[in-house]
């Protein structure tokens, strides 16, 4: 048996977006370059991107690891099924499973995570990459200045423009957003892994090229972002004209008009046009209806919670100003629009009470 096969294996599964890829880079850096977390010493690191949708299929193809780290993936029934498949197949090897996340659905089912799978949950009301950074710092592990800047860039994007993770330049924030758009458009695991490796690299100016092309990561991200923005702007302009005002919310029914990744970006562009919180309804290619809520002052998450309490949506995800939820099967368009009006009134009343 070779020396490499005797090393511990760390399996990292993280979301496709900026928060997921930066979180994965933090774990990759702390393990590969610092040999400190999650395993003290050398280890083989295997990395895979996945969202909650498709997690069950992804889990069935993962190799068994001694330590498993799940990052920025809201805990849903599909994730539960995937974890069960993975744990049942790798039970004899798994030593620990660490779960870093900030989504409400994960917190609400935290006891289930711990009881059924013995998972150690790291939860916080902040981007997952900030939770990871704080955990590493508590263990005496400091990130490189460049990687730390991307953590701050994610915090600005997910905090609605607020520098909740510390000050960072606008150029880093823009590049972070460009990386997220590139990954969502390409949905290529090899490209995602290359971004993780580039972000984690302690050599700050080493040019890294994407697989299958001569483009550097920075150039490819900025060009892809420009193309994505042009496409989304065209659709957003048309959809904004058809929006319906429901209390404080502009409701947009994008079913049949948008099925690709990037619905959050689409909602953000519409939000810039209409200048109010936006509720964007679209239907995925598997028939699931998803509501994306976008705001600038925390209304998105508040609206999502109000709609959940009304029994209209489930599987909440996202952040203060960008939230997502899946419509329940029995939620009709009429019930949804009435619910949005009611949720709007509730938010206004609560704010007036102070």
């Amino acid at each position: 048996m070779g020396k490499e096969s005797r090393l511990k294996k760390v399996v990292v599964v993280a979301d496709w977006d900026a928060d997921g890829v930066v979180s994965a880079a933090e774990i990759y850096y702390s393990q590969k370059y610092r040999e400190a977390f999650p395993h003290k010493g050398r280890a083989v690191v295997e990395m895979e991107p996945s969202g909650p949708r498709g997690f069950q299929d992804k889990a069935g193809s993962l190799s068994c690891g001694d330590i498993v780290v799940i990052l920025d993936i809201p805990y849903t029934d599909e994730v539960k099924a995937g974890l069960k498949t993975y744990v049942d197949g790798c039970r004899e090897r798994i030593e620990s499973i660490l779960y870093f996340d900030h989504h409400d659905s994960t917190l609400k089912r935290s006891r289930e995570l711990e009881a059924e799978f013995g998972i150690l949950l790291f939860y916080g009301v902040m981007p997952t990459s900030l939770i990871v950074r704080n955990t590493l710092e508590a263990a005496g592990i400091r990130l490189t200045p460049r990687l730390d800047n991307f953590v701050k860039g994610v915090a600005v994007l997910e905090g609605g423009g607020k520098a909740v993770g510390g000050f960072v330049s606008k150029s880093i924030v823009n590049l972070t957003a460009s990386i997220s758009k590139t990954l969502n458009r390409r949905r290529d695991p090899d490209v995602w892994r290359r971004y993780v490796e580039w972000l984690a690299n302690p050599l700050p100016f080493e040019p890294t090229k994407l697989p299958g092309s001569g483009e550097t990561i920075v150039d490819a991200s900025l060009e892809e972002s420009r193309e994505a923005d042009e496409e989304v702007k065209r659709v957003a302009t048309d959809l904004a004209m058809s929006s319906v005002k429901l209390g404080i919310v502009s409701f947009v029914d994008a079913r049949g008009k948008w099925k690709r990744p990037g619905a959050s970006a689409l909602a953000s562009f519409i939000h810039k046009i209409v200048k109010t919180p936006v509720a964007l309804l679209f239907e995925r290619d598997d028939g699931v209806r998803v509501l994306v809520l976008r705001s600038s002052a925390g209304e998105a998450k508040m609206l999502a919670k109000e709609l959940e309490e009304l029994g209209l949506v489930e599987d909440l995800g996202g952040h203060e100003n960008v939230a997502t939820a899946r419509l329940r099967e029995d939620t009709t368009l009429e019930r949804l629009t009435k619910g949005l009006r009611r949720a709007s009134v509730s938010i206004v009343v609560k704010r007036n009470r102070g």
Side-chain angles (χ1 to χ4, degrees):
M1 184 179 293
K3 185 176 180 180
E4 187 75 11
S5 64
R6 294 196 297 272
L7 294 176
K8 296 286 187 180
K9 178 185 283 188
V10 176
V11 175
V12 179
V13 187
D15 195 27
W16 286 95
D17 67 5
D19 198 13
V21 74
V22 172
S23 297
E26 292 175 272
I27 297 296
Y28 187 70
Y29 167 77
S30 64
Q31 185 60 65
K32 179 177 176 62
Y33 295 106
R34 299 294 299 274
E35 298 183 0
F37 187 90
H39 172 67
K40 289 188 177 181
R42 291 183 61 202
V44 176
V45 182
E46 177 181 303
M47 301 180 294
E48 289 290 340
S50 178
R53 179 189 176 199
F55 186 89
Q56 188 172 4
D57 291 336
K58 177 69 70 175
S61 64
L62 289 175
S63 66
C64 294
D66 300 284
I67 302 172
V68 181
V69 184
I70 300 172
L71 301 162
D72 197 41
I73 299 176
Y75 185 63
T76 63
D77 287 339
E78 189 167 1
V79 173
K80 177 182 178 180
L83 277 171
K84 187 177 188 309
T85 298
Y86 185 78
V87 171
D88 286 347
C90 301
R91 191 179 303 277
E92 293 185 2
R93 180 163 183 175
I94 296 174
E95 296 177 2
S96 60
I97 303 177
L98 313 181
Y99 205 122
F100 292 81
D101 193 34
H102 62 90
H103 295 98
D104 286 343
S105 62
T106 304
L107 177 62
K108 288 178 180 178
R109 302 175 70 173
S110 58
R111 291 186 179 180
E112 181 181 321
L113 269 170
E114 296 165 357
E116 295 203 20
F117 304 109
I119 285 175
L120 180 60
L121 176 64
F122 296 80
Y123 181 86
V125 187
M126 62 185 75
T128 300
S129 51
L130 267 179
I131 301 172
V132 175
R133 187 188 73 177
N134 293 345
T135 302
L136 295 178
E137 288 183 348
I141 305 165
R142 297 192 67 82
L143 303 175
T144 63
R146 186 183 67 162
L147 181 51
D148 189 56
N149 275 333
F150 279 102
V151 173
K152 294 173 184 176
V154 170
V156 171
L157 291 175
E158 301 204 349
K162 300 177 183 177
V164 294
F167 175 78
V168 64
S169 69
K170 187 176 180 180
S171 61
I172 290 293
V173 175
N174 291 340
L175 181 54
T176 306
S178 296
I179 289 171
S180 185
K181 292 172 187 175
T182 300
L183 293 172
N184 271 312
R185 276 168 65 93
R186 297 201 180 190
R187 290 277 164 164
D188 184 329
D190 289 333
V191 170
W192 182 89
R193 280 188 284 269
R194 190 63 59 89
Y195 272 96
V196 173
E197 293 165 357
W198 177 76
L199 288 164
N201 194 331
L203 301 176
F205 301 110
E206 182 175 343
T208 299
K209 295 183 178 180
L210 294 179
S213 76
E215 298 175 292
T216 66
I217 273 182
V218 173
D219 290 342
S221 297
L222 295 176
E223 177 61 22
E224 190 104 17
S225 176
R226 184 189 63 78
E227 293 176 0
D229 285 351
E230 289 179 356
E231 178 186 8
V232 173
K233 280 180 183 177
R234 289 195 297 270
V235 179
T237 301
D238 291 338
L239 289 175
M241 298 296 291
S242 65
S243 64
V244 178
K245 195 73 179 298
L246 302 172
I248 64 171
V249 185
S250 294
F251 174 69
V252 177
D253 187 351
R255 290 176 298 171
K257 301 171 185 176
W258 189 269
K259 288 189 176 183
R260 300 182 297 281
S264 294
L266 179 61
S268 293
F269 273 108
I270 297 173
H271 173 60
K272 290 178 182 178
I273 296 170
V274 299
K275 311 295 185 185
T276 68
V278 168
L280 173 75
L281 176 64
F282 75 100
E283 187 172 303
R284 299 189 322 213
D285 53 13
D286 61 358
V288 173
R289 295 170 300 161
V290 178
L291 191 69
V292 179
L293 299 149
R294 181 68 169 91
S295 65
S296 297
E299 299 95 341
K301 191 170 184 178
M302 296 171 68
L303 284 165
K305 288 186 174 181
E306 292 281 347
L307 294 173
E308 183 184 39
E309 291 177 5
L310 292 171
L312 299 172
V313 301
E314 57 191 355
D315 288 344
L316 272 58
H319 324 286
E320 296 295 324
N321 289 308
V322 183
T324 61
R326 187 177 67 190
L327 263 63
R328 298 176 64 93
E329 290 186 5
D330 60 349
T331 299
T332 62
L333 183 60
E334 181 181 4
R335 289 184 64 212
L336 176 61
T337 53
K338 287 182 178 179
L340 283 167
R341 287 185 186 277
R342 184 172 173 181
S344 294
V345 172
S346 177
I347 290 173
V348 171
V349 170
K350 289 177 180 177
R351 285 187 166 174
N352 288 339
R353 287 175 179 171

